[in-house]
């Protein structure tokens, strides 16, 4: 049971009416406040809580109907009863439209006043209960949606975790087998170097996978308000090319770079570096002969970069899958036996962070073009 007494405000310019209402209502246990004009009534409504308001329709200054409008805007559940000297159809229609609950024509008796107040308070209780019910239903719906979303994320995360474990077990298992064979005396002395080389390669692959997974996890967890600074894109590209040159030369490939303009981009330098490193590294690894050409340009406030190779290319039906974690095309596995399958997912994630786009154009046996378009001022920087 609600033990807090209902609070009622009487707004009327006639003192006799205000005091008459007070005398009738207080003995019934109601808390009664009074105001002698509309502005004072509104001030009280904004400052304290009322369940029901009795308002005179005709008052100098702010009229009862104007006050009604303000009160309903402030709290639509407050019950407003309009006291009228004479009730016209027009007034009744306007007051009802503004949300008046009932009318009390003057003069009225205490019993008539109490009856209409009691009905109003019953209505108030129903309205509050309905609102509470609606809020509870909305909250339950909200919670259910959040729970479903979490369950979906959990399922995706668990699946991804299984894939990771599976992929990491592979090189770790090979390393253990090789070591067991060597320690068990199953490897001839002249095979030791070959085994050590394999161990080195597999340990390297394992570390590359862990590094790539860490980088990918950091990118996915990156906050949208992370600090970005102006980066000279051409400088980053030239630095990446310098680190890649020896790998290209070792395969007898040409590695050329065309810098058509020198754009500045709001970014994290490490992201641009990683993006080009993965793309150029792939281009070199998947190109048996010919070369790699890297282009940088700025067009309409966008950084445009292409990494073009004359390599093995990618089959059409595999193009949509190369950005999936751990996916490696069949032809790629034949060309380069070990890889992480995480380079392109990293590139994809970086492009997403900056609100950019990546297009791939490839012909098996002829080569591939990876085209990246990034806004020079990414949306995240505007925020
Ligand atoms: P990884 O190179 O370690 O396999 P990536 O995520 O970098 O992993 O690439 C995924 C796959 O996309 C590669 O295995 C290969 O099939 C394909 N790929 C990426 N870049 C090229 C390229 N320049 N030429 C041909 N295939 C490519």
């Amino acid at each position: 049971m609600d033990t807090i007494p209902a609070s009622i405000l009487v707004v009327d310019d006639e003192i006799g009416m205000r005091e008459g209402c007070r005398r009738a209502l207080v003995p019934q246990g109601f808390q009664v406040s009074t105001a002698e004009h509309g502005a004072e009534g509104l001030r009280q409504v904004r400052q304290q809580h009322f369940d029901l308001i009795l308002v005179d329709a005709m008052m100098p200054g702010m009229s009862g109907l104007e006050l009604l409008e303000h009160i309903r805007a402030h709290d639509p559940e407050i019950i407003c009863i309009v006291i009228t000297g004479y009730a016209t159809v027009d007034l009744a229609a306007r007051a009802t439209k503004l949300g008046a609950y009932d009318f009390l024509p003057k003069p009225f008796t205490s019993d008539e006043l109490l009856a209409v107040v009691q009905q109003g308070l019953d209505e108030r209780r129903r309205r509050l209960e309905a609102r509470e019910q609606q809020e509870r239903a909305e909250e339950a719906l909200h919670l259910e949606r959040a729970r479903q979303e979490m369950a979906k994320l959990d399922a995706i995360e668990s699946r991804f975790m299984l894939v990771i474990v599976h992929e990491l077990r592979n090189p770790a298992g090979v390393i253990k087998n090789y070591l067991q064979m060597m320690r068990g005396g199953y490897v001839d002395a002249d095979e030791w170097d070959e085994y050590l080389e394999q161990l080195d390669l597999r340990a390297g692959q394992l570390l590359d996978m862990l590094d790539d997974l860490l980088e990918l996890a950091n990118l996915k967890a990156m906050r949208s308000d992370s600090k970005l600074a102006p980066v000279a894109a051409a400088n980053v590209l030239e630095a990446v090319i310098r680190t890649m040159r020896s790998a290209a030369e070792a395969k007898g490939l040409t590695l050329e770079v065309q810098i058509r303009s020198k754009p500045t981009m709001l970014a994290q330098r490490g992201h641009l570096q990683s993006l080009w490193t993965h793309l150029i590294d792939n281009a070199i690894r998947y190109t048996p002969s010919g070369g790699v050409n890297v282009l940088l340009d700025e067009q309409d406030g966008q950084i445009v970069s292409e990494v073009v190779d004359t390599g093995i290319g990618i089959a059409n039906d595999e193009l949509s899958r190369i950005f999936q974690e751990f996916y490696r095309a069949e032809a790629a596995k034949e060309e380069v036996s070990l890889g992480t399958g995480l380079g392109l997912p990293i590139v994809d994630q970086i492009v997403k962070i900056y609100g950019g786009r990546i297009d791939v154009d490839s012909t098996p046996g002829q080569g591939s073009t990876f085209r990246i378009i990034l806004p020079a001022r990414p949306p995240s920087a505007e925020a």
Side-chain angles (χ1 to χ4, degrees):
M1 264 298 281
D2 194 359
T3 51
I4 304 168
S7 63
I8 297 173
L9 174 67
V10 183
V11 189
D12 200 308
D13 56 324
E14 285 174 41
I15 183 161
M17 187 57 73
R18 294 199 300 274
E19 289 312 312
C21 288
R22 188 203 292 279
R23 269 198 302 276
L25 295 168
V26 169
Q28 304 301 318
F30 298 121
Q31 250 175 22
V32 179
S33 303
T34 58
E36 60 182 304
H37 49 75
E40 166 62 12
L42 187 58
R43 191 189 64 75
Q44 290 200 35
V45 167
R46 286 184 175 149
Q47 268 181 3
Q48 67 192 88
H49 159 91
F50 290 105
D51 296 297
L52 184 144
I53 297 177
L54 288 155
V55 54
D56 186 11
M58 301 295 284
M59 286 186 291
M62 185 189 292
S63 76
L65 292 198
E66 244 180 282
L67 175 60
L68 185 67
E69 202 170 358
H70 286 301
I71 292 171
R72 299 276 303 169
H74 174 75
D75 178 355
E77 262 90 43
I78 293 186
I79 300 292
C80 295
I81 294 168
V82 180
I83 302 171
T84 54
Y86 54 93
T88 65
V89 175
D90 173 54
L91 177 77
R94 278 192 296 145
T96 310
K97 208 164 151 203
L98 291 174
Y101 169 70
D102 207 349
F103 298 89
L104 197 56
K106 290 185 205 173
F108 49 82
T109 64
S110 296
D111 285 347
E112 283 165 342
L113 172 67
L114 288 174
V116 81
V117 161
Q118 201 48 61
Q119 274 172 17
L121 289 174
D122 289 346
E123 169 65 14
R124 160 101 173 149
R125 205 185 52 245
R126 275 194 295 275
R127 283 185 195 178
L128 288 181
E129 275 170 10
R131 183 167 75 177
E132 219 171 275
Q133 231 168 31
Q134 190 185 348
E135 279 170 3
R136 269 205 301 269
E138 274 167 17
E139 198 180 332
L141 191 72
H142 186 72
L143 279 175
E144 177 57 19
R145 283 212 188 110
R147 197 194 58 74
Q148 282 176 1
E149 205 53 39
M150 286 300 286
K152 215 157 70 189
L153 283 178
D154 275 357
I156 292 173
E157 220 161 77
S158 313
R159 263 205 310 275
F160 186 46
M161 186 62 88
L162 285 177
V163 174
I164 291 176
V165 171
H166 174 79
E167 294 291 335
L168 293 181
R169 273 192 68 95
N170 215 357
V174 173
I175 291 172
K176 190 161 171 56
N177 280 347
Y178 277 35
L179 286 174
Q180 272 177 347
M181 284 170 73
M182 290 167 89
R183 290 181 71 185
Y186 300 107
V187 178
D188 292 340
D190 60 339
E191 289 176 323
W192 267 66
D193 279 351
E194 199 186 308
Y195 269 72
L196 284 175
E197 162 118 26
Q198 279 299 323
L199 280 173
D200 195 24
L201 276 175
R202 294 298 183 155
Q205 185 197 15
L206 199 52
L207 279 177
D208 285 347
M209 277 183 162
L210 290 170
D211 287 345
D212 283 354
L213 276 172
L214 195 62
E215 184 176 1
L216 195 58
N218 277 329
L219 288 170
K220 285 185 176 174
M222 190 175 143
R223 290 165 48 124
S224 55
D225 60 352
S226 297
K227 271 231 166 327
L228 305 181
V231 178
N235 291 357
V236 180
L237 175 57
E238 278 165 344
V240 172
I241 294 282
R242 275 197 295 279
T243 65
M244 296 281 161
R245 200 161 285 291
S246 59
E249 280 169 4
K251 289 183 79 176
L253 302 175
T254 57
L255 176 57
E256 283 171 16
V257 55
Q258 286 176 48
I259 295 177
R260 293 196 183 145
S261 56
K262 296 197 164 186
T264 300
M265 181 180 170
L266 275 182
Q268 286 190 14
R269 188 187 170 83
H271 290 161
L272 292 189
Q273 194 178 331
S274 172
L275 197 117
W276 272 313
T277 302
H278 285 293
L279 289 179
I280 299 170
D281 181 49
N282 279 352
I284 294 172
R285 283 188 307 135
Y286 297 117
T287 300
S289 64
V292 177
N293 204 339
V294 187
L295 176 133
L296 171 64
D297 200 358
E298 182 171 18
Q299 292 165 10
D300 307 325
Q302 298 197 306
I303 315 281
V304 179
S305 179
E306 282 182 7
V307 179
V308 186
D309 66 52
T310 56
I312 60 171
I314 303 156
N316 228 352
D317 58 336
E318 290 183 294
L319 270 180
S320 61
R321 306 181 64 187
I322 56 174
F323 292 96
Q324 289 172 6
E325 281 104 351
F326 300 111
Y327 185 78
R328 304 195 67 219
E330 286 312 314
K333 287 187 209 161
E334 277 171 32
E335 181 67 23
V336 182
S337 63
L338 299 182
T340 64
L342 292 169
L344 288 185
I346 288 174
V347 169
D348 188 44
Q349 190 61 34
I350 294 173
V351 170
K352 275 199 187 112
I353 288 174
Y354 290 95
R357 213 179 76 214
I358 180 160
D359 296 324
V360 190
D361 193 5
S362 188
T363 310
Q366 289 187 20
S368 311
T369 297
F370 284 77
R371 188 167 205 258
I372 303 249
I373 299 172
L374 300 172
R377 284 192 65 84
S380 49
E382 308 301 335

